[in-house]
PDB file of all heavy atoms in Angstrom:
ATOM      1  N   ARG K1219      -8.277  13.665 -29.845  1.00 98.00           N
ATOM      2  CA  ARG K1219      -9.253  13.673 -30.954  1.00 98.00           C
ATOM      3  C   ARG K1219     -10.551  14.363 -30.532  1.00 98.00           C
ATOM      4  O   ARG K1219     -11.106  15.167 -31.264  1.00 98.00           O
ATOM      5  CB  ARG K1219      -9.544  12.244 -31.406  1.00 98.00           C
ATOM      6  CG  ARG K1219     -10.505  12.154 -32.604  1.00 98.00           C
ATOM      7  CD  ARG K1219     -10.866  10.724 -32.946  1.00 98.00           C
ATOM      8  NE  ARG K1219     -11.697  10.077 -31.951  1.00 98.00           N
ATOM      9  CZ  ARG K1219     -13.021  10.263 -31.834  1.00 98.00           C
ATOM     10  NH1 ARG K1219     -13.653  11.079 -32.642  1.00 98.00           N
ATOM     11  NH2 ARG K1219     -13.701   9.617 -30.905  1.00 98.00           N
ATOM     12  N   LEU K1220     -11.012  14.074 -29.325  1.00 98.00           N
ATOM     13  CA  LEU K1220     -12.287  14.612 -28.849  1.00 98.00           C
ATOM     14  C   LEU K1220     -12.215  16.061 -28.396  1.00 98.00           C
ATOM     15  O   LEU K1220     -13.124  16.851 -28.671  1.00 98.00           O
ATOM     16  CB  LEU K1220     -12.801  13.757 -27.682  1.00 98.00           C
ATOM     17  CG  LEU K1220     -13.231  12.333 -27.994  1.00 98.00           C
ATOM     18  CD1 LEU K1220     -13.368  11.525 -26.710  1.00 98.00           C
ATOM     19  CD2 LEU K1220     -14.536  12.334 -28.771  1.00 98.00           C
ATOM     20  N   PHE K1221     -11.138  16.399 -27.679  1.00 97.00           N
ATOM     21  CA  PHE K1221     -11.087  17.697 -27.002  1.00 97.00           C
ATOM     22  C   PHE K1221      -9.968  18.609 -27.486  1.00 97.00           C
ATOM     23  O   PHE K1221      -9.809  19.722 -26.989  1.00 97.00           O
ATOM     24  CB  PHE K1221     -10.940  17.491 -25.481  1.00 97.00           C
ATOM     25  CG  PHE K1221     -11.891  16.477 -24.911  1.00 97.00           C
ATOM     26  CD1 PHE K1221     -11.428  15.404 -24.162  1.00 97.00           C
ATOM     27  CD2 PHE K1221     -13.265  16.575 -25.107  1.00 97.00           C
ATOM     28  CE1 PHE K1221     -12.289  14.456 -23.621  1.00 97.00           C
ATOM     29  CE2 PHE K1221     -14.138  15.639 -24.578  1.00 97.00           C
ATOM     30  CZ  PHE K1221     -13.655  14.575 -23.829  1.00 97.00           C
ATOM     31  N   GLY K1222      -9.155  18.153 -28.418  1.00 97.00           N
ATOM     32  CA  GLY K1222      -8.008  18.932 -28.893  1.00 97.00           C
ATOM     33  C   GLY K1222      -6.764  18.610 -28.079  1.00 97.00           C
ATOM     34  O   GLY K1222      -6.812  17.894 -27.080  1.00 97.00           O
ATOM     35  N   ARG K1223      -5.638  19.152 -28.518  1.00 96.00           N
ATOM     36  CA  ARG K1223      -4.360  18.882 -27.827  1.00 96.00           C
ATOM     37  C   ARG K1223      -4.240  19.798 -26.612  1.00 96.00           C
ATOM     38  O   ARG K1223      -3.605  20.843 -26.674  1.00 96.00           O
ATOM     39  CB  ARG K1223      -3.190  19.054 -28.791  1.00 96.00           C
ATOM     40  CG  ARG K1223      -3.132  17.923 -29.811  1.00 96.00           C
ATOM     41  CD  ARG K1223      -1.847  17.881 -30.574  1.00 96.00           C
ATOM     42  NE  ARG K1223      -0.707  17.425 -29.806  1.00 96.00           N
ATOM     43  CZ  ARG K1223      -0.399  16.161 -29.570  1.00 96.00           C
ATOM     44  NH1 ARG K1223      -1.177  15.201 -29.990  1.00 96.00           N
ATOM     45  NH2 ARG K1223       0.693  15.857 -28.897  1.00 96.00           N
ATOM     46  N   ILE K1224      -4.873  19.377 -25.556  1.00 96.00           N
ATOM     47  CA  ILE K1224      -4.901  20.124 -24.302  1.00 96.00           C
ATOM     48  C   ILE K1224      -4.216  19.301 -23.223  1.00 96.00           C
ATOM     49  O   ILE K1224      -4.024  18.101 -23.384  1.00 96.00           O
ATOM     50  CB  ILE K1224      -6.352  20.466 -23.893  1.00 96.00           C
ATOM     51  CG1 ILE K1224      -7.179  19.174 -23.793  1.00 96.00           C
ATOM     52  CG2 ILE K1224      -6.991  21.423 -24.885  1.00 96.00           C
ATOM     53  CD1 ILE K1224      -8.580  19.370 -23.279  1.00 96.00           C
ATOM     54  N   PRO K1225      -3.851  19.925 -22.112  1.00 97.00           N
ATOM     55  CA  PRO K1225      -3.242  19.146 -21.025  1.00 97.00           C
ATOM     56  C   PRO K1225      -4.204  18.077 -20.500  1.00 97.00           C
ATOM     57  O   PRO K1225      -5.424  18.257 -20.510  1.00 97.00           O
ATOM     58  CB  PRO K1225      -2.960  20.189 -19.941  1.00 97.00           C
ATOM     59  CG  PRO K1225      -2.978  21.496 -20.638  1.00 97.00           C
ATOM     60  CD  PRO K1225      -3.909  21.353 -21.800  1.00 97.00           C
ATOM     61  N   ILE K1226      -3.624  16.972 -20.061  1.00 98.00           N
ATOM     62  CA  ILE K1226      -4.395  15.882 -19.462  1.00 98.00           C
ATOM     63  C   ILE K1226      -3.891  15.692 -18.038  1.00 98.00           C
ATOM     64  O   ILE K1226      -2.697  15.543 -17.814  1.00 98.00           O
ATOM     65  CB  ILE K1226      -4.215  14.560 -20.241  1.00 98.00           C
ATOM     66  CG1 ILE K1226      -4.666  14.733 -21.697  1.00 98.00           C
ATOM     67  CG2 ILE K1226      -4.981  13.428 -19.560  1.00 98.00           C
ATOM     68  CD1 ILE K1226      -4.319  13.548 -22.585  1.00 98.00           C
ATOM     69  N   THR K1227      -4.804  15.714 -17.078  1.00 98.00           N
ATOM     70  CA  THR K1227      -4.463  15.485 -15.679  1.00 98.00           C
ATOM     71  C   THR K1227      -5.107  14.182 -15.233  1.00 98.00           C
ATOM     72  O   THR K1227      -6.254  13.902 -15.583  1.00 98.00           O
ATOM     73  CB  THR K1227      -4.960  16.655 -14.800  1.00 98.00           C
ATOM     74  OG1 THR K1227      -4.330  17.857 -15.230  1.00 98.00           O
ATOM     75  CG2 THR K1227      -4.643  16.420 -13.337  1.00 98.00           C
ATOM     76  N   ILE K1228      -4.350  13.417 -14.470  1.00 98.00           N
ATOM     77  CA  ILE K1228      -4.886  12.171 -13.923  1.00 98.00           C
ATOM     78  C   ILE K1228      -4.636  12.123 -12.421  1.00 98.00           C
ATOM     79  O   ILE K1228      -3.708  12.751 -11.915  1.00 98.00           O
ATOM     80  CB  ILE K1228      -4.263  10.922 -14.599  1.00 98.00           C
ATOM     81  CG1 ILE K1228      -2.748  10.855 -14.375  1.00 98.00           C
ATOM     82  CG2 ILE K1228      -4.596  10.882 -16.081  1.00 98.00           C
ATOM     83  CD1 ILE K1228      -2.107   9.563 -14.866  1.00 98.00           C
ATOM     84  N   SER K1229      -5.487  11.396 -11.734  1.00 97.00           N
ATOM     85  CA  SER K1229      -5.289  11.082 -10.326  1.00 97.00           C
ATOM     86  C   SER K1229      -4.898   9.610 -10.302  1.00 97.00           C
ATOM     87  O   SER K1229      -5.742   8.729 -10.464  1.00 97.00           O
ATOM     88  CB  SER K1229      -6.573  11.325  -9.544  1.00 97.00           C
ATOM     89  OG  SER K1229      -6.416  10.926  -8.208  1.00 97.00           O
ATOM     90  N   ALA K1230      -3.611   9.343 -10.160  1.00 97.00           N
ATOM     91  CA  ALA K1230      -3.078   7.988 -10.307  1.00 97.00           C
ATOM     92  C   ALA K1230      -2.807   7.341  -8.959  1.00 97.00           C
ATOM     93  O   ALA K1230      -2.352   8.004  -8.025  1.00 97.00           O
ATOM     94  CB  ALA K1230      -1.784   8.023 -11.112  1.00 97.00           C
TER      95      ALA K1230
END
Side-chain angles (χ1 to χ4, degrees):
R1219 183 185 69 79
L1220 292 165
F1221 313 126
R1223 288 193 72 82
I1224 57 175
I1226 301 171
T1227 299
I1228 62 173
S1229 175

